[in-house]
Amino acid sequence: MAAITAALVKELREKTGVGMMDCKKALTENGGDLEASMDWLRKNGLSKAAKKADRIAAEGLVAVATDGSTGAVVELNSETDFVARNTAFQGTAGEIAKLAVSVGDDVAAIKAAKMASGTTVDDHLTNLIATIGENMSLRRAALVTANPGVVASYVHNSVVDGMGALGVIVGLKSTGDAEKLAELGRKIAMHIAAGAPAVALSVDVDGVDAAIVDKEREVFAAQARASGKPENIVEKMVEGRIRKFFEEVVLMKQVFVMDPDRTIEKVVADAAAELGTPIEITGFERMSLGEGVEKGPEEDFAAEVAAATGKA
């Protein structure tokens, strides 16, 4: 049996990121065998992670990564915003975003991909849950490509470079100057992040779901008829409202937040004229942290501590 020295405990801690006391216990349980102790910690980490798996994770980070003509945005959740400031969590979010650029936006495929450490994303997250002590979840990922061209990104109120609570990626297909395309793409991404005047649903009119348009027509028609207007006037009113609807939810029809005198369509056309080559927005993704997640009731931390210490 190897002696359980401070150096051995330190080595195990550096390899696993687990606390000193847990490392010492693992080495004691496994006769000082480093590899067996790592396995022991992992097995116990799986147990700890399982207990935390049903806890709601709606905080965390949105991370973006781009590589020329491809870009990805991912959402890595945790239980509290405190964890979003943890460097290990931030490093994980950033590496996952970079993996998504090459792996794609399928969450299962990303979880099965190998990280720089050699472990899969899924196993890495399990170990991180055990180390930090909070449930974590890779909730979603999205990909945009523009070949030839560039994918630009923007993170609003970033915590660290490429990570924050709101991330946007935009693809610009063009043979124009990559640096100028990236600058244009970033400005459009900032516009999308601002959500002004409304969050865009698609790049162009054809991309808006027909069912959504039909529903809006029904609502507008009912409102117009309620005013007592004749049917021919109702039709004109509905078409006018639909045009206004498209101006709100179609990216190309939106008024550019940085220049209210131009639409995004005009901004792109002006840039294409300047570069002397066509520019096409191939797609965009806007990801806001925790959107759509139903959070549980706020926990009373003081009451939880009192209950744990038997002083409730």
Side-chain angles (χ1 to χ4, degrees):
M1 175 177 173
I4 312 300
T5 63
L8 193 60
V9 173
K10 183 173 181 289
E11 184 179 356
L12 181 59
R13 185 177 186 275
E14 288 174 348
K15 285 180 177 292
T16 63
V18 177
M20 295 288 262
M21 294 305 294
D22 283 335
C23 286
K24 185 177 180 181
K25 184 177 181 181
L27 288 163
T28 302
E29 290 286 333
N30 294 278
D33 186 307
L34 197 63
E35 293 297 322
S37 297
M38 289 173 67
D39 287 340
W40 187 90
L41 283 171
R42 188 166 180 271
K43 289 173 183 175
N44 279 270
L46 287 169
S47 175
K48 291 175 184 177
K51 293 176 183 177
K52 296 174 176 67
D54 61 346
R55 301 205 314 221
I56 295 171
E59 300 294 341
L61 288 170
V62 169
V64 301
T66 60
D67 183 11
S69 60
T70 306
V73 55
V74 303
E75 181 180 358
L76 183 62
N77 294 129
S78 60
E79 291 180 55
T80 65
D81 60 357
F82 178 77
V83 169
R85 298 191 290 274
N86 181 288
T87 54
F89 184 84
Q90 291 172 352
T92 298
E95 189 172 351
I96 289 174
K98 289 175 183 176
L99 272 175
V101 171
S102 56
V103 174
D105 57 6
D106 182 78
V107 171
I110 296 171
K111 286 182 177 180
K114 294 286 184 67
M115 300 185 74
S117 62
T119 62
T120 65
V121 169
D122 203 28
D123 284 345
H124 180 84
L125 287 176
T126 295
N127 292 331
L128 199 59
I129 290 168
T131 305
I132 294 179
E134 279 197 16
N135 186 26
M136 297 173 200
S137 172
L138 176 59
R139 184 183 173 211
R140 53 183 171 154
L143 202 71
V144 168
T145 59
N147 193 14
V150 302
V151 174
S153 67
Y154 171 71
V155 176
H156 186 62
N157 288 340
S158 58
V159 177
V160 291
D161 188 38
M163 285 173 259
L166 174 62
V168 179
I169 50 176
V170 181
L172 297 179
K173 184 177 181 180
S174 177
T175 56
D177 181 85
E179 190 174 329
K180 291 184 178 179
L181 286 172
E183 182 183 351
L184 172 64
R186 179 174 170 78
K187 289 179 180 178
I188 294 173
M190 291 173 75
H191 167 92
I192 295 168
V199 175
L201 297 178
S202 72
V203 173
D204 51 32
V205 171
D206 291 340
V208 182
D209 190 332
I212 293 176
V213 177
D214 289 343
K215 184 177 179 181
E216 292 300 313
R217 284 185 184 279
E218 287 178 17
V219 172
F220 296 155
Q223 292 172 346
R225 290 189 183 101
S227 66
K229 297 288 192 299
E231 198 61 28
N232 64 320
I233 300 298
V234 166
E235 289 179 12
K236 291 180 181 179
M237 290 175 68
V238 169
E239 289 309 310
R241 294 288 296 276
I242 287 294
R243 281 195 300 274
K244 180 65 176 175
F245 171 70
F246 284 146
E247 288 170 7
E248 291 180 349
V249 303
V250 172
L251 178 61
M252 295 296 277
K253 300 295 183 183
Q254 289 183 341
V255 172
F256 186 33
V257 69
M258 296 182 187
D259 182 358
D261 292 331
R262 294 189 294 169
T263 62
I264 295 294
E265 190 170 31
K266 184 69 166 63
V267 169
V268 172
D270 289 348
E274 182 183 337
L275 293 177
T277 184
I279 300 174
E280 174 193 350
I281 298 180
T282 59
F284 66 89
E285 293 290 343
R286 180 186 192 274
M287 197 172 285
S288 182
L289 181 66
E291 61 187 353
V293 176
E294 188 174 332
K295 298 182 181 182
E298 292 291 325
E299 294 182 0
D300 187 335
F301 183 68
E304 186 178 323
V305 171
T309 56
K311 295 179 180 179

